[in-house]
Amino acid sequence: MEGRARTAAVTGGLVPTSVRVPTSGIALRCLVWGSESDPTALLLHGNGGHAHWWDALVPALVPGWRLVAPDLRGHGESDWAGGDAPYRLERFAADLRAVIDQLGHAPALVGASLGGLTSLLAVGESDAPIASAAVLVDIAPRIEPEGAKRISSFMVGRPDGYESLEEVADAIADYTRQRSRPRDLESLQKNLRRRPDGRYTWHWDPRFMGADGPAEIVDRERLFASARRLTAPTLLVRGRESDILSDEGVREFLTHLPNAQYVDVGGAGHMVAGDRNDAFTPDHANYFGATPGFRNPVPAH
């Protein structure tokens, strides 16, 4: 009950419905806010994340939007996947299409990092339109190797876990350059699992970072081909301090996007949704407009 109370505090008192969606032999946990009569935005988190990444968006967009936020496979409360190559990007894309099939209509997609690449591949390789609009957050086919290495090092750097939430907070503060050290230690437990020995580990399957992970993220031609087929209104968002998406990567990507607008967000790095969550609300950057399109975005400084 304490966890639900904290979530409600962040989301302005709006408590989500939790549903499970079957896909490819596993099930995804999805959090749902808002009315079925409103247009739907499907919110996809990044590497190592979970559906609660988007909590602070809820009071800005509900009512008016129905928000659906899944835990990606192997993350949060969704199932860990088995079999060969369970965490290839095409598996994430197939999961996304399964969720959209359950919705019964084409939502606006908002994907951060891995969620953005998942959206890109799912839309670009679908036989029919599956998205009314797309927001791709700090991701493109060209990613900066040093930034990618920093993320990987953080995600695999403590296989033995953490002794306390204080240790977790210290690790996050060391990794996230744009944010202050987390003050609400209890809220960190959404990111963690507690082992029988009492130590904390991250809330995702360690195999996600292994050889069976999303290798297609380095297949630029496949991703560029998907971008050229993305005809829905599209917004590319970059954190101005990002070490993953460079100006060069943005320029290259935009040459392949037929219907894209672009904005960079000052004071934010790769974790834009967390660094500047306010910039994702209609009152700030106008990222959300009436489907099927967006209003012209205003750069957030």
Side-chain angles (χ1 to χ4, degrees):
M1 293 299 293
E2 289 182 6
R4 287 175 63 88
R6 291 189 194 94
T7 297
V10 174
T11 60
L14 299 169
V15 177
T17 299
S18 179
V19 299
R20 297 189 70 80
V21 176
T23 170
S24 303
I26 65 170
L28 304 183
R29 190 277 296 265
C30 297
L31 300 181
V32 183
W33 292 267
S35 170
E36 291 187 13
S37 63
D38 287 330
T40 300
L42 189 51
L43 311 176
L44 305 174
H45 64 76
N47 300 349
H50 49 80
H52 285 290
W53 261 23
W54 306 101
D55 281 356
L57 268 182
V58 174
L61 297 175
V62 178
W65 284 85
R66 183 189 187 206
L67 303 182
V68 179
D71 289 328
L72 301 183
R73 61 170 48 217
H75 291 70
E77 300 301 324
S78 289
D79 292 344
W80 288 9
D84 296 331
Y87 298 113
R88 292 291 296 261
L89 189 61
E90 60 192 19
R91 298 285 187 93
F92 288 98
D95 291 344
L96 174 55
R97 285 191 286 264
V99 173
I100 293 174
D101 285 345
Q102 290 286 316
L103 291 174
H105 61 272
L109 299 179
V110 182
S113 191
L114 172 63
L117 292 181
T118 297
S119 300
L120 182 62
L121 195 69
V123 172
E125 296 189 351
S126 292
D127 295 330
I130 63 170
S132 61
V135 179
L136 306 176
V137 184
D138 209 71
I139 199 64
R142 179 189 295 276
I143 60 177
E144 298 304 309
E146 286 302 312
K149 181 179 179 181
R150 191 172 75 90
I151 291 175
S152 177
S153 296
F154 175 74
M155 293 183 72
V156 303
R158 292 290 295 268
D160 60 334
Y162 301 85
E163 184 176 346
S164 67
L165 294 176
E166 290 280 353
E167 278 193 5
V168 175
D170 290 341
I172 292 174
D174 187 53
Y175 171 68
T176 54
R177 300 167 181 173
Q178 281 74 34
R179 288 189 251 173
S180 59
R181 184 180 185 277
R183 289 176 293 181
D184 182 3
L185 298 185
E186 292 302 312
S187 69
L188 294 178
Q189 296 195 64
K190 293 174 183 174
N191 300 281
L192 303 165
R193 294 178 187 267
R194 193 86 180 267
R195 296 193 320 208
D197 63 3
R199 294 184 69 84
Y200 293 95
T201 58
W202 297 113
H203 209 25
W204 46 271
D205 185 349
R207 292 178 302 158
F208 168 68
M209 293 299 293
D212 292 333
E216 300 96 324
I217 64 174
V218 298
D219 189 345
R220 291 182 186 171
E221 289 309 311
R222 184 174 181 181
L223 293 172
F224 282 139
S226 289
R228 290 190 290 271
R229 291 191 290 268
L230 180 53
T231 57
T234 302
L235 178 67
L236 176 62
V237 181
R238 175 178 179 256
R240 194 171 302 161
E241 310 303 322
S242 174
D243 57 358
I244 287 291
L245 182 56
S246 65
D247 288 336
E248 179 184 10
V250 168
R251 288 193 295 270
E252 180 185 42
F253 195 23
L254 290 176
T255 64
H256 296 271
L257 286 166
N259 198 22
Q261 299 180 47
Y262 166 66
V263 64
D264 70 329
V265 180
H270 180 58
M271 307 288 284
V272 187
D275 295 337
R276 285 290 309 278
N277 199 273
D278 63 300
F280 276 78
T281 68
D283 291 338
H284 288 78
N286 292 330
Y287 290 162
F288 292 82
T291 53
F294 294 106
R295 295 176 291 231
N296 290 330
V298 177
H301 299 290

